[in-house]
Amino acid sequence: SVSSSEIRTHLSLPIEQQEWEMPPLSWIPHLLREEISRLYSNPSQPISEESALHPHEPSIQTKRPSVFIWGRGRCGGSLALAIRGAGLRVSSVSLRELLALKEREAIDDLRSLIAKASSYDLWLIASRDDKIEPISSLLSSLLSSLRPSQLSRNNSPLPQVVAHCSGIASPRRLEPLKKWGMQTAQCHPLYSFKTSQTPPEALHGVAYFITGHATAYELLSSLVNDLKGNVLNLPSLANSALDKQEQLAEKYSDSCPDVVNEDHRLLYHAAAVIGANLSMVPLSLSELLLEEIGIPRREARAAVQHLYHSALSAYLNDLETSTNNQSTNTLINEDPHTPLQVFKEQLTGPLMRGDLNTIEAHLIALRGAVKGNPTKEVVVHAYLALSLAAARLLDRTELIKFFEGELFMDK
C-alpha cells in the first residue's frame, strides 16, 4: 500500500527527480500527471474543471507557442522552468521515463503520452547528440500507432515544428519526423547549464543559435523573445529574409534542408567549447599551483575567483559598452571596438609588457615544481600554449618566436 504522505513527498521533488514509472507515482494515469505536478509546484493555482476533463486542450492565449520538451536534464529542465516562467504552456517528460515505457512495452501509456504531446505547437528534443535521431525515430513510430481521431484535436493535429537543442548536430537528425509535416530546426542556447533548475532570470540575455526552415525559425525566434533571449544570427545567412531562406533551401535541396554551412556550425560549437568548457582550464590550474605552494584549498579558490572577476569584469564591461553603442542594424564585425581590440586594451602582466625575464623565471619554477608528475606537467603545457595564443593575438613577433621554441623543446 502507498500512503498519501509518500505521494506528497515524491511530488514535492524537483521535476527531473519525479519518477512516474516507479512507486508511489506509477499508478497515476499519464493524462493527469502534468496537472498534478503543476498543482504541487504551484498550490495556489487549482486544477480547473476544464483542464481536468480535457488535459490535452491548449489553454486560451495569444499565438505564443506551446512547448513540449522531450528531456528533463540540465538543458531540458531549465528550459521548462524558463518557458513556464514566461507564461507559456509547457510540459515535458524525462527520456529515462520514455525509454522505460518502451522497454516495458507499455503501449497504452506511450500512446497517451504521444497524444498529449501532439497538442503542442513546438517540440524540443533536449537529449545527448547521439540520441537525437533514435528519439526522433521512436517518436515517429509512436505517432504511427495513434488513431486518426487522436491526431485531430482543435484543428491542430500535430506540432508545427520540432527542434533539437544540440549545438553541433544538424536538423537532418530529425528527419524521421519530417513525414508528419513537422518543420525541423536546431535551437541551441549558448549557456553552460550546471543544473536542471536554472532560475529563469539567469537565461535573460542568453543567445540562441537557431537554424532550419523559415517557419521553424520564426516560431523559435518568438519563443526566444518570450524568454528575453537573443537570436544569434550568422549574418551571411540572413535568417530574417524569407527569400534568402528559400534560396538556401534550394541549394540544400534534399528532404530536410539545412541552411547553415556545416563548417560554420562546427566553428560555432568550437567557439562555445572554448568560451565555456575550456575557460575552466586556466582557473583550475591557477588553483592547483596555489595549493602546490601550501595555500589551503578554500583560500586558494577564493583568491582565484576574485582574481578572475577582476580580470574578466573589465573585459566584459568593455565589450558590453561597445556592443551597446552599436545601432540595431550594425553587425558586430563592423563595430570599430572589436573583441580583439578589447583584449589588447585589457590584458595586463608580463605578456603585455614583453617581459621575457619574468616569463623565463616562471617556466623554470613551473618545470621544477611539476617534474615527474604527469598530471601536473600539464600546467607547463597550458602556460606555453595560452601564452603563444596571446602573443599571436598581440602580434608580437619576439614573443611568438620565444613560445614556439619553448613548446618545441617541451615536447
Side-chain angles (χ1 to χ4, degrees):
S1 62
V2 176
S3 69
S4 59
S5 61
E6 285 183 282
I7 295 174
R8 284 195 298 271
T9 299
H10 279 75
L11 288 172
S12 63
L13 292 171
I15 290 174
E16 82 283 358
Q17 295 179 25
Q18 294 175 4
E19 295 289 350
W20 290 98
E21 301 310 314
M22 301 290 290
L25 303 180
S26 55
W27 63 274
I28 300 174
H30 269 276
L31 297 182
L32 297 179
R33 290 178 180 181
E34 178 188 1
E35 293 296 341
I36 291 173
S37 180
R38 183 167 62 83
L39 174 65
Y40 274 82
S41 64
N42 187 6
S44 63
Q45 184 177 359
I47 301 177
S48 67
E49 180 180 354
E50 177 67 16
S51 62
L53 291 173
H54 304 288
H56 294 186
E57 300 286 340
S59 56
I60 298 173
Q61 55 181 343
T62 64
K63 291 184 179 180
R64 300 159 74 199
S66 57
V67 186
F68 193 94
I69 304 175
W70 299 96
R72 286 181 178 169
R74 288 179 291 182
C75 177
S78 296
L79 287 178
L81 282 177
I83 293 168
R84 185 173 293 112
L88 277 67
R89 177 174 174 253
V90 62
S91 186
S92 64
V93 66
S94 74
L95 295 178
R96 181 165 52 181
E97 180 181 349
L98 175 66
L99 296 175
L101 289 172
K102 177 177 179 290
E103 184 71 21
R104 294 200 339 255
E105 298 183 352
I107 303 301
D108 289 341
D109 285 342
L110 284 168
R111 285 174 176 168
S112 296
L113 177 61
I114 199 72
K116 169 186 172 179
S118 296
S119 71
Y120 288 75
D121 301 318
L122 167 65
W123 281 1
L124 291 179
I125 297 180
S127 71
R128 284 173 28 183
D129 297 347
D130 61 344
K131 298 298 182 184
I132 295 171
E133 195 162 356
I135 293 296
S136 300
S137 297
L138 173 59
L139 297 179
S140 180
S141 67
L142 292 177
L143 287 169
S144 298
S145 72
L146 294 181
R147 297 185 302 274
S149 61
Q150 293 175 287
L151 292 173
S152 59
R153 300 179 72 92
N154 306 310
N155 298 316
S156 179
L158 286 171
Q160 298 172 269
V161 172
V162 56
H164 66 66
C165 299
S166 166
I168 197 170
S170 165
R172 288 182 173 85
R173 297 202 189 179
L174 302 169
E175 175 73 17
L177 292 166
K178 283 282 292 178
K179 70 178 184 179
W180 297 100
M182 299 185 203
Q183 293 202 6
T184 56
Q186 170 189 16
C187 180
H188 177 247
L190 196 58
Y191 186 85
S192 183
F193 294 100
K194 306 300 183 187
T195 172
S196 61
Q197 299 292 302
T198 305
E201 59 271 15
L203 299 185
H204 294 177
V206 166
Y208 292 75
F209 181 68
I210 300 174
T211 181
H213 291 266
T215 300
Y217 180 88
E218 183 179 350
L219 188 67
L220 289 164
S221 296
S222 171
L223 174 63
V224 168
N225 183 64
D226 285 325
L227 299 181
K228 299 182 180 179
N230 300 301
V231 176
L232 190 63
N233 289 306
L234 288 181
S236 61
L237 297 178
N239 279 318
S240 59
L242 295 184
D243 57 340
K244 183 66 173 179
Q245 286 270 350
E246 290 167 359
Q247 292 171 21
L248 290 163
E250 290 177 5
K251 179 180 178 182
Y252 299 92
S253 57
D254 64 2
S255 60
C256 183
D258 178 11
V259 295
V260 168
N261 180 297
E262 193 58 32
D263 288 340
H264 289 175
R265 191 195 319 281
L266 292 170
L267 291 173
Y268 159 78
H269 195 252
V273 169
I274 292 171
N277 311 133
L278 296 184
S279 67
M280 298 292 294
V281 174
L283 187 150
S284 300
L285 294 181
S286 296
E287 186 179 331
L288 182 69
L289 280 178
L290 293 180
E291 283 191 44
E292 184 69 19
I293 60 175
I295 297 176
R297 179 170 300 170
R298 186 181 298 276
E299 294 178 28
R301 184 160 301 168
V304 170
Q305 286 177 349
H306 284 291
L307 176 64
Y308 257 60
H309 281 303
S310 67
L312 292 181
S313 61
Y315 176 84
L316 295 175
N317 288 339
D318 204 333
L319 265 180
E320 183 178 356
T321 300
S322 63
T323 301
N324 288 339
N325 287 337
Q326 298 178 89
S327 67
T328 55
N329 296 322
T330 303
L331 300 177
I332 288 179
N333 60 9
E334 295 175 351
D335 178 9
H337 206 175
T338 66
L340 181 57
Q341 289 174 309
V342 177
F343 169 77
K344 290 179 178 180
E345 292 171 5
Q346 298 297 339
L347 184 66
T348 61
L351 264 174
M352 193 63 200
R353 298 192 302 269
D355 186 353
L356 284 175
N357 289 332
T358 296
I359 292 169
E360 288 177 324
H362 285 172
L363 290 171
I364 292 170
L366 286 171
R367 285 170 172 146
V370 304
K371 188 176 181 180
N373 187 325
T375 301
K376 294 182 180 179
E377 283 177 357
V378 70
V379 176
V380 179
H381 303 321
Y383 186 99
L384 291 171
L386 290 170
S387 296
L388 176 58
R392 285 176 172 161
L393 289 175
L394 292 170
D395 197 23
R396 301 280 287 275
T397 303
E398 73 285 3
L399 292 176
I400 294 171
K401 289 181 178 178
F402 174 81
F403 288 115
E404 286 179 339
E406 290 293 326
L407 277 169
F408 179 79
M409 292 172 54
D410 211 54
K411 288 182 179 178

